[in-house]
Amino acid sequence: MTALLQIQDLKTQFSTSSGTVKAVDGVTYDVEEGETVAVVGESGCGKSVTALSIMRLVAEPAGKIVGGQILFQGRNLIDVDIEEMRRIRGKDIAMVFQEPMTSLNPVLTIGIQLMETLQQHLDVDETAAKARAVELLGLVGISDAERRLAQYPHNLSGGMRQRVMIAMALSCEPKLIIADEPTTALDVTIQAQILELMKDLTRRLGVALIIITHNLGVVARYANRVNVMYAGKIIERGNAREIYHNPKHPYTLGLLRSVPRLDQPRGERLVPITGHPPDLTRLDGGCAFRPRCAFATERCGKEKPPLEDLGDGHLSACWEKEHVSLNARKAS
């Protein structure tokens, strides 16, 4: 069966005064219907640019998709004209952005913003749009929904604004939702509520979900499969359980070791990943992670490791993957 979304060798670049930034450099992954897929990595690794490329929202002329395919239900979105893409956004593919206060229009009420989406894509009148807006706010756990429609974004808390964004994403019953760091600006308790809400809604409604995050705790609980990104590339891929219990890339291992664990002694120190992400305008022919890698060898500086299939859908781009795996087992 063909996947709902297939990204094939996607390349997105930005022209800057310092040179060409290869923000997304040959990314390939897919999403099945009703599946939750996580994209994980540090800031600047290309996670959000991949999402914006799917939505065709890369800022031109500096930014441009220069290669690859984005197949949604077998149709290449790169070849779709702007008007058709506007119809697809919101209706078939929706996005929950990182910071709801900057995503919502501060001078328009919540009701106007919700109803506008419904009227634009579903061609319903104002009465039907309002009834659906009230229903959606109730669906995402906002009480007294009719009164909330008349309020402005600044009248709501951060968690409630994020719930409104989820309601807008669900409004036209899309087949795919992209959630870009949906809990970054929220406190821990509200983060858990929002994530549980999204998982429950996608499960009940059969919507596929891409979660973009740097929080590996999110990945462990909510994702079926995981793509780990670094320097514009996917450097490890697999199901969430396998990635956690048997990482095959030193960057993935570093991310796991830098997160607090309840099964470790209270005084156990976290192990940070040393160094800084690379300058994407000055990458050489070797592995981009090697300056920060404890396992790097001479070969890592000369040859870029390919993303190799290790079986059972687990892939890794590392010449020293066996040493990484052995080290991970000793630490666990």
Side-chain angles (χ1 to χ4, degrees), residues 2 8 21 24 48 64 70 99 106 115 128 136-137 140 146 151 166 175 185 187 190 240 246 252 266 283 292:
T2 304
Q8 300 176 354
V21 176
V24 179
S48 294
K64 191 174 183 181
I70 304 168
E99 174 45 73
M115 290 162 60
L136 285 163
L137 292 184
V140 297
E146 195 152 355
Q151 293 184 323
I166 295 169
K175 299 174 179 67
D187 64 57
I190 304 301
N246 188 24
T252 310
R266 285 190 66 179
L283 295 176
R292 310 172 71 185

Side-chain angles (χ1 to χ4, degrees), residues 7-295:
I7 302 173
Q8 300 176 354
D9 196 29
L10 179 64
K11 296 177 181 177
T12 303
Q13 299 179 356
F14 291 87
S15 298
T16 72
S17 57
S18 303
T20 300
V21 176
K22 296 180 180 179
V24 179
D25 191 14
V27 164
T28 297
Y29 70 87
D30 58 39
V31 182
E32 303 287 345
E33 290 186 13
E35 182 183 29
T36 298
V37 172
V39 182
V40 184
E42 293 169 294
S43 297
C45 72
K47 310 184 302 294
S48 294
V49 177
T50 303
L52 292 173
S53 298
I54 295 169
M55 299 293 285
R56 294 274 304 280
L57 291 174
V58 176
E60 296 181 345
K64 191 174 183 181
I65 299 172
V66 297
Q69 293 184 315
I70 304 168
L71 300 174
F72 180 71
Q73 296 185 308
R75 186 181 187 188
N76 189 1
L77 298 183
I78 294 174
D79 296 333
V80 171
D81 64 49
I82 294 300
E83 284 304 314
E84 179 61 20
M85 195 65 216
R86 283 180 182 148
R87 286 190 284 270
I88 292 171
R89 288 190 209 114
K91 190 173 189 301
D92 296 318
I93 307 174
M95 190 161 178
V96 179
F97 291 93
Q98 194 171 142
E99 174 45 73
M101 196 60 196
T102 57
S103 303
L104 293 168
N105 192 323
V107 300
L108 295 178
T109 65
I110 297 302
I112 288 174
Q113 295 183 67
L114 261 173
M115 290 162 60
E116 181 184 36
T117 304
L118 292 162
Q119 290 175 299
Q120 178 74 30
H121 291 292
L122 301 184
D123 193 27
V124 294
D125 61 26
E126 187 174 338
T127 303
K130 184 176 181 180
R132 175 64 173 157
V134 170
E135 180 188 351
L136 285 163
L137 292 184
L139 188 67
V140 297
I142 294 179
S143 59
D144 199 4
E146 195 152 355
R147 182 172 68 87
R148 298 295 184 188
L149 291 181
Q151 293 184 323
Y152 293 86
H154 68 269
N155 296 132
L156 307 180
S157 67
M160 290 182 73
R161 286 195 293 266
Q162 196 62 285
R163 288 170 187 266
V164 170
M165 291 297 296
I166 295 169
M168 291 177 72
L170 290 167
S171 60
C172 298
E173 300 181 355
K175 299 174 179 67
L176 172 67
I177 294 176
I178 302 170
D180 185 5
E181 301 275 12
T183 60
T184 297
L186 308 176
D187 64 57
V188 175
T189 306
I190 304 301
Q191 282 184 24
Q193 291 176 7
I194 294 295
L195 290 165
E196 287 291 345
L197 171 66
M198 293 189 71
K199 185 66 176 178
D200 177 59
L201 289 172
T202 52
R203 189 187 296 117
R204 276 197 286 143
L205 303 175
V207 180
L209 177 65
I210 297 174
I211 296 181
I212 297 168
T213 183
H214 59 265
N215 186 337
L216 283 166
V218 170
V219 171
R221 184 168 177 83
Y222 300 103
N224 303 116
R225 287 189 293 153
V226 181
N227 296 295
V228 182
M229 283 192 75
Y230 189 79
K233 293 181 176 292
I234 290 176
I235 48 89
E236 186 163 10
R237 176 191 305 144
N239 69 61
R241 183 177 180 81
E242 180 70 10
I243 292 287
Y244 264 81
H245 291 284
N246 188 24
K248 292 284 190 177
H249 195 283
Y251 179 60
T252 310
L253 181 61
L255 289 175
L256 291 169
R257 286 181 172 177
S258 64
V259 174
R261 288 175 53 169
L262 293 176
D263 60 349
Q264 296 291 344
R266 285 190 66 179
E268 190 78 13
R269 293 178 66 87
L270 299 179
V271 182
I273 301 174
T274 59
H276 302 280
D279 182 343
L280 297 183
T281 64
R282 299 180 181 178
L283 295 176
D284 57 25
C287 173
F289 187 64
R290 77 181 184 282
R292 310 172 71 185
C293 181
F295 303 92

